[in-house]
Each structure stands twice: as structure tokens, then as C-alpha cells.
Amino acid sequence: SLDGKLYINDLYRTRNIYELIEHFNKCSQDIGGKQVKITEGALIKAYVNAQKVIGSNIPKSIIRPQFIVPSAIDTKQIIRQSWCIDGLNFSERIWKNKELLTKDLSRTLSDLVMRGKSPYQVAQGVVARLGVDESKAYRIVRTETAHAQISAEVNKYKEMGFTYGRFNAKDPCDDCGELDGQLFTLDELESMIPRHPNCECSFL
């Protein structure tokens, strides 16, 4: 309490906090599982579509039947690979985000309640934190989709016999801009694009 003494209603309020935190954790696990499932489907679709686009635009001088359709490479295995510097794949990145969400919600809830905020203010604080998590979830999907498309392009061009590509910077940031036009192996390009969250760079 504000006077430094512990009252029965303080204990009751604390118990409610723990119940809410446990509820947040369960909801976060449910949402995380659904997000992994939906994201995997979206990444597979992005990979397959990218390969089809490249296959249908191959110059007639080098065209072969197998270039028109997606290769027999295990698409799920490709999109589940760890490609970023943090060593995590998309599923692990989603679960890490959900774990951080639960911790942040717990801190936000405890802080607001212990400061004597009204139920409405507490609810507003929780909603604001969920908004931050939603933004992160979209960012993960956008970035992972970009990498799935890059992987599809790399594998299709490898089938066609190409080994190198030029970095094509579309972002104004210094990190990407300094690489624009530079030549890299396809393997290097696959591991370096996207360069950062929401990166829109590609290769030629």
C-alpha cells in the first residue's frame, strides 16, 4: 500500500496479478502456435510463387522444362533454416517474441496495479503493450517472407547454372547502400538478404 503497510486487499490484488499473468502466458502460447502455423504456410507460398515467377521469365535461349516448375527441394526444410545472425529460425523467433511479451505484460501489469491505477488505466496499459507486440509480429513475417523469396530465387538461379549476383539496394540506409552493385556468390546473397528487419533489398 502507499503507507508501506501490507493489507489483506493487497494480498488479494497480488493473487489476481499472478492469475492474470498465468492467463497472459496461456494466451501467448496459443497465439504463438497459431502464428507459427500461419507464418509457415505464408512462407511456403512466397517461396513457391517466387520460383514460378522466375521460371516463367527465363530467356528462351536457356529454357528447360524443369525451370518452369518449382524444384523438388524440401521447401519446409529451407524456410525452417536459421539464416540470421542470431541463429534462430522463424519459429524460434516467434516464440522468443511471445516469451518477451509475457514478461513485458507481467511487468506492466504489476507496475500499474501497485501504483494504484484504475482498472481502466491498467487495461489501457496492457492494450498499448499488445500493440507493440503486434507491430513486432508483422515485422517478423515481412522479414521472413523476404528471405523466403530470396532463397527461392537463389535456388532457381542455381538450377540454371548461375553462381553470382549483384546486390540491389532498395533501402536508403548506409548498411545496404554501401553494398549496392557489388558482386557476391549466390550463397553469400542468400545469407545476407534481408540485411535488417523490413529490408526490401534484392539481387540481380
Side-chain angles (χ1 to χ4, degrees), residues 31-42 90-92 94-95:
I31 294 171
K34 291 177 181 177
Q35 186 179 348
V36 168
K37 184 177 180 179
I38 292 172
T39 301
E40 182 172 81
F90 83 93
S91 177
E92 293 167 332
I94 288 173
W95 283 117

Side-chain angles (χ1 to χ4, degrees), residues 139-167:
R139 184 178 65 194
I140 289 172
V141 173
R142 283 194 298 267
T143 306
E144 293 292 339
T145 300
H147 183 259
Q149 292 171 330
I150 292 295
S151 293
E153 294 171 13
V154 164
N155 285 314
K156 181 58 73 173
Y157 284 125
K158 281 182 178 179
E159 290 178 23
M160 297 162 60
F162 290 100
T163 53
Y164 287 88
R166 290 192 184 279
F167 192 96

Side-chain angles (χ1 to χ4, degrees), residues 75-92:
T75 307
K76 282 190 177 182
Q77 182 179 348
I78 290 175
I79 65 171
R80 289 174 180 173
Q81 290 177 348
S82 300
W83 61 272
C84 199
I85 194 170
D86 60 9
L88 304 177
N89 61 28
F90 83 93
S91 177
E92 293 167 332

Side-chain angles (χ1 to χ4, degrees), residues 13-31 98 101-103 105-107 109-110:
R13 186 165 56 185
T14 302
R15 189 188 70 184
N16 283 345
I17 290 175
Y18 286 123
E19 289 176 353
L20 273 172
I21 290 173
E22 189 163 336
H23 178 68
F24 286 153
N25 188 49
K26 183 181 183 305
C27 290
S28 180
Q29 290 177 354
D30 291 342
I31 294 171
K98 291 295 172 273
L101 169 64
T102 302
K103 291 180 179 179
L105 283 174
S106 300
R107 284 194 293 267
L109 185 65
S110 299

